[in-house]
Amino acid sequence: MSDLPTTPEKPADETENQMKSPDPRSGAPPEYSSSFVSGPPGPAIPPPAGYPGGLPMGYYGPHQPSTFPLYMQTGSICPIQYQPGKYPAPQLSAPVIWMPMPTPIPHCPPGLECLVQLDNIHVLQHFEPLEMVTGFETNNRYDIKNNMGQMVYFVTEDTDNYTRNAYRTLRPFVLRVTDCMGQEVMTMQRPFRCTCCCFCCPSTRQELEVHCPPGVTIGFVAEHWNLCRAVYSLQNEKKEDMMGVLGPCSTYGCGSDSVFEILSLDGVSIIGSITRKWNGVLSAMSDADHFEIHFPLDLDVNMKAMIFGACFLIDFMYFESSPPQRSNIHHD
């Protein structure tokens, strides 16, 4: 009886070995230059039919909420089927209502048409229970709503884990602002500035650069040194002062709102305000902040965007809490 021929084993393909690059991180924080930092290439899962762009995770479309199935398996177009009564019924969240998309407006940066129609917006930071329990800093997320409770924008932080947890409130970051179609309409970048040396040194003053559309700078939010309160200037793309921001003497007041006034260039007229609302215990124990922004309806839309950007720099500098550091109370 002859032996059956056997198929020789194929050698392992060396190209399948994953090449791991060394950790690029060093003792110094990453540099965020003034040039635009491009976003991710796109969502891993294609958007639903009828939408030119994707939507933020967990949100429904403003016009066709039924286009999102309740359970969708990644990489498949067929929803998962469960046997009735075998598994508990899922808890369905209420669909998010978006502000109707306005028509394009001449001389208005694309994506800012909603701001043209508003004189008041609410910035609501997402509450992260895991962050509160473990102390691990996660990317911040914000819902931007109008007075009717309609979503206007969705803001997400784009920072790596090492930078977030190593530098905490001083971390450089990139904030990406998306509309109801999932399109990035605005980008805000904060470079790293060390505050360990003299506070009056210009190199230690905080700054935020605002791009709209992404890649086109429309202005800066620049900090000014002051002994007892927060002082900022809102600048245009040429770094020329256009308006000022004056904060309270104490931004950590317990039981009351913190109001940052938007002042005219001469510092006499109050144009608007950025108010951090007091939410009781939630405000004292977590980072789930609620800001309310007021500005004139007929204010230049670029300046509205700069006031909007100043709100986030204020949040990171004064209201983004870090876990308490352990102190050595035992001495030999």
Side-chain angles (χ1 to χ4, degrees):
M1 181 176 183
S2 60
D3 296 334
L4 296 175
T6 59
T7 304
E9 296 183 355
K10 295 182 180 180
D13 190 356
E14 297 181 356
T15 60
E16 294 180 356
N17 296 331
Q18 297 181 352
M19 303 296 295
K20 296 184 178 179
S21 58
D23 191 352
R25 296 192 294 267
S26 61
E31 294 291 339
Y32 284 84
S33 62
S34 60
S35 59
F36 170 66
V37 178
S38 59
I45 302 177
Y51 285 86
L55 291 174
M57 183 64 65
Y59 287 87
Y60 295 89
H63 305 298
Q64 298 179 354
S66 61
T67 54
F68 282 82
L70 299 181
Y71 293 93
M72 181 66 71
Q73 186 178 8
T74 304
S76 174
I77 60 174
C78 299
I80 302 175
Q81 301 294 334
Y82 291 130
Q83 180 178 349
K86 189 172 183 179
Y87 297 95
Q91 296 180 355
L92 303 180
S93 58
V96 176
I97 305 301
W98 286 81
M99 179 179 176
M101 180 67 67
T103 57
I105 301 175
H107 308 294
C108 176
L112 297 187
E113 293 86 357
C114 291
L115 288 182
V116 176
Q117 303 179 2
L118 300 175
D119 62 354
N120 178 282
I121 54 177
H122 296 262
V123 178
L124 305 171
Q125 184 176 359
H126 286 212
F127 173 65
E128 301 291 348
L130 183 62
E131 178 179 319
M132 181 178 176
V133 174
T134 64
F136 182 84
E137 189 73 24
T138 59
N139 278 320
N140 287 0
R141 297 178 298 162
Y142 304 85
D143 292 342
I144 314 303
K145 297 185 178 183
N146 57 17
N147 275 338
M148 301 177 61
Q150 297 173 331
M151 284 280 291
V152 181
Y153 299 117
F154 184 71
V155 181
T156 54
E157 179 186 358
D158 187 2
T159 310
D160 62 89
N161 292 334
Y162 174 80
T163 302
R164 276 197 319 274
N165 290 273
Y167 300 98
R168 297 289 177 173
T169 59
L170 293 177
R171 65 185 184 262
F173 60 74
V174 176
L175 296 179
R176 306 192 184 279
V177 184
T178 55
D179 59 9
C180 66
M181 308 304 293
Q183 299 175 350
E184 186 175 342
V185 299
M186 187 188 309
T187 305
M188 292 173 278
Q189 301 183 40
R190 176 197 188 187
F192 177 78
R193 297 292 174 85
C194 180
T195 59
C196 60
C197 54
C198 180
F199 289 99
C200 60
C201 179
S203 63
T204 65
R205 299 173 188 172
Q206 300 299 314
E207 184 181 79
L208 183 76
E209 184 176 356
V210 180
H211 299 259
C212 185
V216 179
T217 302
I218 64 172
F220 299 84
V221 181
E223 180 192 21
H224 294 274
W225 183 83
N226 190 277
L227 186 61
C228 63
R229 59 174 58 191
V231 179
Y232 302 89
S233 63
L234 305 182
Q235 304 172 341
N236 59 15
E237 70 280 2
K238 300 178 181 179
K239 289 199 170 184
E240 300 171 342
D241 293 347
M242 305 298 293
M243 290 183 293
V245 180
L246 183 63
C249 291
S250 175
T251 58
Y252 300 96
C254 181
S256 61
D257 298 342
S258 299
V259 181
F260 295 76
E261 297 177 342
I262 310 299
L263 305 176
S264 58
L265 191 58
D266 56 10
V268 176
S269 303
I270 299 179
I271 300 176
S273 64
I274 301 174
T275 304
R276 190 249 190 175
K277 310 294 291 184
W278 174 256
N279 291 332
V281 179
L282 196 62
S283 294
M285 300 183 60
S286 69
D287 293 338
D289 293 317
H290 174 197
F291 290 89
E292 187 173 356
I293 303 176
H294 292 268
F295 38 60
L297 183 62
D298 58 351
L299 184 66
D300 179 73
V301 68
N302 284 359
M303 288 297 101
K304 289 184 178 182
M306 296 310 304
I307 297 174
F308 178 59
C311 175
F312 295 96
L313 184 58
I314 290 172
D315 181 32
F316 274 86
M317 289 187 62
Y318 297 101
F319 305 107
E320 182 74 8
S321 62
S322 295
Q325 301 294 329
R326 296 181 179 178
S327 58
N328 186 11
I329 59 177
H330 300 285
H331 302 277
D332 295 333

